[in-house]
Amino acid sequence: MTATNNINPLGVEKINKLLVKFAIPSIVAMVVNAIYNMFDQICIGRKIGPDGNAATNVVFPITTIAMAIALTIGQGGASKQNIELGAGNKKKAQNVVGNLVIFSSVGSVIITIIAFVFMKPMLVLFGATDNVMPYAVDYSSVVIWGMPALIIGTSINNTIRADGSPLYAMISMALGAVINIVLDIIFVFPLNMGMKGAALATIIGQYAVCIISLNYIRKYKNITITKDSISFALYDKYVKRFLDIMLSIIGIIVLSIPLLIIAVVIKMDSPGPIFFKQKRIGIYKNHFYILKFRSMYVDDEQKDIPTHLLKNPESRITRVGKILRKTSLDELPQLFNILKGEMSIIGPRPALWNQYDLIEERDKYSANDIKPGLTGWAQINGRDELEIDIKAKLDGEYVEN
């Protein structure tokens, strides 16, 4: 392929030609998708009846949320891709698309899990009645499986247009819609699969779009996507942070009752506060206050000395505290540190501000340059039983990998 053919038309073509080349395929793709949505309703209405149509309308906000996320990632990434290409930063444009693929993949899995966990409460919130609920559950329990394909396919589809291939993007979207329409007829009528059949037809169409879009990764005209296109700085800043936020929120919600029970038991077991704050070393050796369930008697609490260095530490730990420490339940309040951005789910355990030997040893492996974690490689390989140099080396292995 010549250098001329690799030039992105968005940078050289006249506006009127670009409108025809890019707007018409986009309009056609949108019209075809609108037709398949209408066809879905026709098939369900003819076979199931009004309750089936009502069920799809109740589920629609869930898929709309997924589509909104896909468009946020896709259009934002495609805009940044074109900005970098226009500025001549091909490497940065490649990184944008590489990270878009990772971010949409990881994000879609998280959204899918959340959708499954909160499916019924969301259906109730969106207006499902007793008559409609069985149909809505049948439809949503299948269609949610298509969320990864919907988010990944739509996100990448935007970058395909940004690469100067709007026709390829249109064909992928249109083909998915055609597959959906054909399978709607087969699944809903001859096979009599009802709501689940209509939903299955939808997700097969979505996965077709996703596969065709992913196939374009090898065909980009203006960039080349390889494993080196993934910027891990962006991964840490956006993808990992997104995961931390979502997992900490889910953890706080799911564990809310156990957290409350532990708090009550601590209060009943010994006088003093429920939580214990301690100054620790965060990313770039900045200080922050870690949150734990209190496990020691208040009079004996020594905030700036590691437990294993205390004299006769067992006599200082409360009865409940012994259980909490043995099961690591005392660490659960750190979900709030993670939500605040002071910690991550996975990373080196945060050192005390005055553990100078550990801090200095970690500097050798750049382990002080990432967020500390709720758990980490050194934590699962020995915790406090490890020597300082071994612990720091294991933290370094996590940083490298």
Side-chain angles (χ1 to χ4, degrees):
M1 188 176 287
T2 64
T4 303
N5 289 333
N6 280 328
I7 296 174
N8 193 326
L10 289 169
V12 295
E13 287 279 8
K14 292 182 179 179
I15 297 297
N16 57 345
K17 290 185 178 180
L18 289 175
L19 284 173
V20 173
K21 184 174 182 179
F22 283 81
I24 291 178
S26 296
I27 293 170
V28 170
M30 291 174 67
V31 169
V32 172
N33 274 281
I35 291 172
Y36 101 70
N37 281 322
M38 289 190 293
F39 200 82
D40 254 2
Q41 294 291 351
I42 292 170
C43 290
I44 291 170
R46 298 279 293 180
K47 186 68 177 180
I48 310 297
D51 285 343
N53 291 130
T56 57
N57 288 328
V58 168
V59 177
F60 189 67
I62 299 175
T63 56
T64 301
I65 292 169
M67 178 60 78
I69 292 169
L71 291 174
T72 299
I73 298 170
Q75 292 184 0
S79 299
K80 181 65 173 174
Q81 172 191 353
N82 273 336
I83 289 170
E84 297 300 347
L85 285 174
N89 299 323
K90 184 177 178 179
K91 177 68 174 175
K92 287 186 178 180
Q94 291 173 175
N95 288 345
V96 167
V97 177
N99 282 282
L100 177 143
V101 174
I102 297 298
F103 191 74
S104 60
S105 301
V106 175
S108 67
V109 172
I110 299 296
I111 296 301
T112 300
I113 293 171
I114 293 172
F116 271 119
V117 171
F118 299 104
M119 180 177 69
K120 286 192 176 180
M122 284 194 292
L123 293 176
V124 172
L125 178 65
F126 296 141
T129 62
D130 291 340
N131 291 336
V132 171
M133 182 61 83
Y135 298 108
V137 169
D138 280 351
Y139 191 79
S140 59
S141 63
V142 176
V143 86
I144 288 173
W145 284 108
M147 282 187 174
L150 174 64
I151 294 173
I152 297 168
T154 303
S155 298
I156 297 175
N157 209 267
N158 281 274
T159 70
I160 294 172
R161 280 194 290 271
D163 191 54
S165 299
L167 189 60
Y168 188 101
M170 180 199 76
I171 291 172
S172 67
M173 297 294 286
L175 187 59
V178 171
I179 290 172
N180 189 351
I181 291 171
V182 172
L183 292 180
D184 259 339
I185 298 171
I186 297 171
F187 291 163
V188 175
F189 294 108
L191 296 182
N192 200 30
M193 293 174 67
M195 297 297 294
K196 289 186 176 180
L200 183 60
T202 297
I203 69 171
I204 291 174
Q206 289 169 344
Y207 275 99
V209 173
C210 182
I211 291 168
I212 296 169
S213 298
L214 284 169
N215 185 59
Y216 189 84
I217 289 177
R218 299 181 291 116
K219 302 179 180 181
Y220 279 106
K221 294 183 287 188
N222 299 285
I223 56 177
T224 303
I225 303 300
T226 65
K227 65 178 182 179
D228 296 327
S229 301
I230 301 170
S231 167
F232 288 98
L234 287 177
Y235 172 82
D236 285 337
K237 187 175 181 181
Y238 298 111
V239 178
K240 192 177 181 185
R241 179 61 186 141
F242 175 77
L243 289 173
D244 284 339
I245 291 172
M246 298 309 300
L247 292 175
S248 60
I249 290 173
I250 292 171
I252 290 168
I253 293 171
V254 172
L255 298 172
S256 57
I257 294 177
L259 289 171
L260 182 61
I261 292 172
I262 292 171
V264 171
V265 172
I266 290 171
K267 203 67 179 173
M268 292 173 62
D269 181 55
S270 62
I274 294 169
F275 298 109
F276 166 60
K277 291 182 178 180
Q278 189 177 53
K279 188 159 68 171
R280 296 287 183 109
I281 296 294
I283 186 171
Y284 303 128
K285 294 188 278 194
N286 292 318
H287 293 168
F288 76 101
Y289 284 92
I290 198 171
L291 197 61
K292 290 188 174 189
F293 279 126
R294 182 176 59 83
S295 59
M296 288 184 170
Y297 294 106
V298 173
D299 291 342
D300 291 326
E301 197 80 70
Q302 298 190 39
K303 292 188 175 183
D304 296 332
I305 302 177
T307 305
H308 65 285
L309 295 181
L310 291 171
K311 293 181 179 179
N312 193 18
E314 289 298 319
S315 66
R316 303 172 186 271
I317 302 173
T318 65
R319 289 174 298 174
V320 172
K322 290 176 182 178
I323 299 172
L324 295 178
R325 284 174 173 245
K326 187 175 181 179
T327 57
S328 295
L329 291 174
D330 60 322
E331 311 284 3
L332 288 180
Q334 287 157 44
L335 289 169
F336 294 98
N337 289 113
I338 294 168
L339 188 59
K340 288 171 63 179
E342 297 166 333
M343 293 177 62
S344 185
I345 295 291
I346 301 174
R349 285 296 295 163
L352 279 165
W353 67 273
N354 59 355
Q355 282 185 282
Y356 303 115
D357 50 354
L358 177 57
I359 297 168
E360 184 178 351
E361 198 68 26
R362 280 179 172 174
D363 274 335
K364 298 177 182 178
Y365 305 98
S366 301
N368 292 314
D369 296 337
I370 62 173
K371 284 183 183 177
L374 180 64
T375 188
W377 187 232
Q379 180 80 351
I380 63 175
N381 279 282
R383 301 183 65 167
D384 293 333
E385 290 77 18
L386 295 173
E387 296 293 332
I388 293 294
D389 58 335
I390 302 290
K391 184 184 291 187
K393 186 177 180 180
L394 288 170
D395 290 332
E397 288 179 4
Y398 169 76
V399 173
E400 290 178 2
N401 297 288

